[in-house]
Amino acid sequence: MSPRGRADFLSAEGDSEDWLWRTVRRGVAPAFAPRALRAAYPKVAQVGARLTEILLSRPQHEAIDMCNVCMCETIDALGLAGFNKDFNTIEAITQGQQADLLHVIYTANEEVARGLYNPAYKLLQMLPGPRSEGQLCMRRFHTIMQDLLQELKARGPPAEDDDSLAAHLLRIRDPGTGQLLSDEWLLPQISVLFWAGFDTTGNTMAWTLYCISQHPEVEKKIADELREHGLLAVPDQPLPRGPHYADLDKLTYLTCVIKEAMRVHTVRHHSQKSKLNVVTDSCDGCEHPLDNSYHCRSVID
């Protein structure tokens, strides 16, 4: 996830990179603590409110690609809440287009996947000639992430009470030197959070909306629950109040619906999977991983 091929904390492997995933995961874990999520919630709600305005402004019977919409909302929420950076990809919806950053990530991801599944493809890319769209998008993605890193560093050291993803990343120290993580190692950590951090959430949102649309009785129960807490637009309250972080624990039925959609339509990133420590079980004669685990090498590597 970096121009120099440095590993990120999702793709790090082997003893030489063991320090990386341990250090980074430990470093960013506080950003997902309840206190940090509560602090980040207003920015997530801000993106949701803006998206609602955009959707309401569209023609009533216009067909909208909600998968694309959910992806854009996730990127913007991650950018704003995690890095205080407004990528504003949802504005592309007003023009009926795919957002630039979303297109860049999708196209670059396809390029990486081609190289993983066909080693000869990488060799072909070394031949003289014009670069493929995937290669150009990969360079564009690196440029966007490098610009974001420089913007973060230009703001200065994060405040003590800053629990954002960016703040915790900037505080990580190299266990070998005790110094703050260098840009060379910090860049891929930021990049992978965008590369692998939006599509699972976006697709889960899209699948959830689809499932609800196919079950009117479920939609009605959700509407009743929202109405009960003053979160539904009704004739006597056309502009309901915005949701607060405390409301999330009260929306029990909606939470169950989301979890059921995740169970029925499980979303995960593409990966290469290989068994570790394979042994033959004397009971059934079949091969099983000794530790019942799998090694996943993500296509973002």
Side-chain angles (χ1 to χ4, degrees):
M1 287 315 306
S2 83
R4 298 185 180 182
R6 290 298 188 186
D8 57 73
F9 70 98
L10 293 183
S11 64
E13 63 178 359
D15 294 339
S16 63
E17 296 175 350
D18 182 67
W19 68 271
L20 181 64
W21 74 267
R22 290 180 183 276
T23 301
V24 176
R25 291 191 183 199
R26 188 183 298 115
V28 300
F32 298 95
R35 183 184 69 176
L37 295 177
R38 188 180 298 109
Y41 180 78
K43 292 182 178 179
V44 176
Q46 177 183 331
V47 174
R50 175 59 183 141
L51 176 59
T52 301
E53 292 177 3
I54 291 175
L55 293 177
L56 288 175
S57 69
R58 308 306 298 166
Q60 186 174 3
H61 299 292
E62 179 185 44
I64 298 178
D65 183 348
M66 288 307 296
C67 186
N68 178 53
V69 168
C70 292
M71 296 293 185
C72 290
E73 182 180 15
T74 305
I75 287 178
D76 286 353
L78 175 60
L80 200 57
F83 298 87
N84 199 28
K85 173 69 173 180
D86 188 3
F87 287 102
N88 203 23
T89 63
I90 57 176
E91 286 297 330
I93 299 169
T94 62
Q95 303 166 0
Q97 299 176 353
Q98 188 179 65
D100 176 59
L101 181 54
L102 189 60
H103 170 73
V104 164
I105 296 177
Y106 273 154
T107 308
N109 191 42
E110 291 173 358
E111 181 76 9
V112 174
R114 292 189 190 100
L116 277 176
Y117 299 126
N118 181 9
Y121 183 78
K122 289 185 177 180
L123 298 176
L124 292 174
Q125 299 306 304
M126 298 178 185
L127 298 175
R131 301 296 87 186
S132 67
E133 183 182 8
Q135 288 178 307
L136 295 176
C137 283
M138 180 61 78
R139 291 180 182 178
R140 169 72 175 141
F141 177 71
H142 285 152
T143 299
I144 293 172
M145 293 297 104
Q146 286 171 333
D147 289 346
L148 175 59
L149 174 57
Q150 294 310 311
E151 181 178 329
L152 294 175
K153 301 196 76 173
R155 298 173 189 168
E160 270 190 45
D161 60 348
D162 188 345
D163 269 330
S164 66
L165 266 173
H168 286 292
L169 281 169
L170 292 173
R171 295 188 187 111
I172 294 176
R173 292 184 178 274
D174 186 323
T177 65
Q179 301 298 313
L180 293 173
L181 211 60
S182 66
D183 290 3
E184 186 178 3
W185 285 105
L186 193 56
L187 178 61
Q189 316 317 317
I190 295 174
S191 299
V192 77
L193 287 168
F194 281 93
W195 190 286
F198 80 95
D199 59 340
T200 47
T201 302
N203 276 306
T204 295
M205 291 165 58
W207 274 117
T208 300
L209 291 172
Y210 171 77
C211 290
I212 293 172
S213 72
Q214 300 304 299
H215 298 275
E217 71 284 1
V218 172
E219 183 177 3
K220 182 180 183 303
K221 289 183 179 180
I222 294 174
D224 290 342
E225 184 174 66
L226 294 174
R227 183 184 296 107
E228 177 185 349
H229 297 289
L231 299 171
L232 184 71
V234 291
D236 58 340
Q237 190 182 16
L239 294 175
R241 69 174 178 84
H244 304 304
Y245 186 80
D247 290 319
L248 301 181
D249 287 337
K250 302 174 185 176
L251 302 175
T252 54
Y253 185 75
L254 177 58
T255 299
C256 289
V257 170
I258 295 172
K259 290 182 177 180
E260 179 65 4
M262 293 173 67
R263 184 189 70 82
V264 176
H265 299 287
T266 303
V267 176
R268 69 174 179 85
H269 208 280
H270 295 292
S271 62
Q272 287 182 312
K273 186 167 64 175
S274 58
K275 289 184 287 186
L276 294 177
N277 302 324
V278 176
V279 296
T280 301
D281 193 315
S282 59
C283 296
D284 58 13
C286 296
E287 290 187 339
H288 302 286
L290 187 60
D291 57 359
N292 293 321
S293 64
Y294 286 93
H295 169 61
C296 293
R297 187 75 170 174
S298 173
V299 299
I300 59 175
D301 186 11

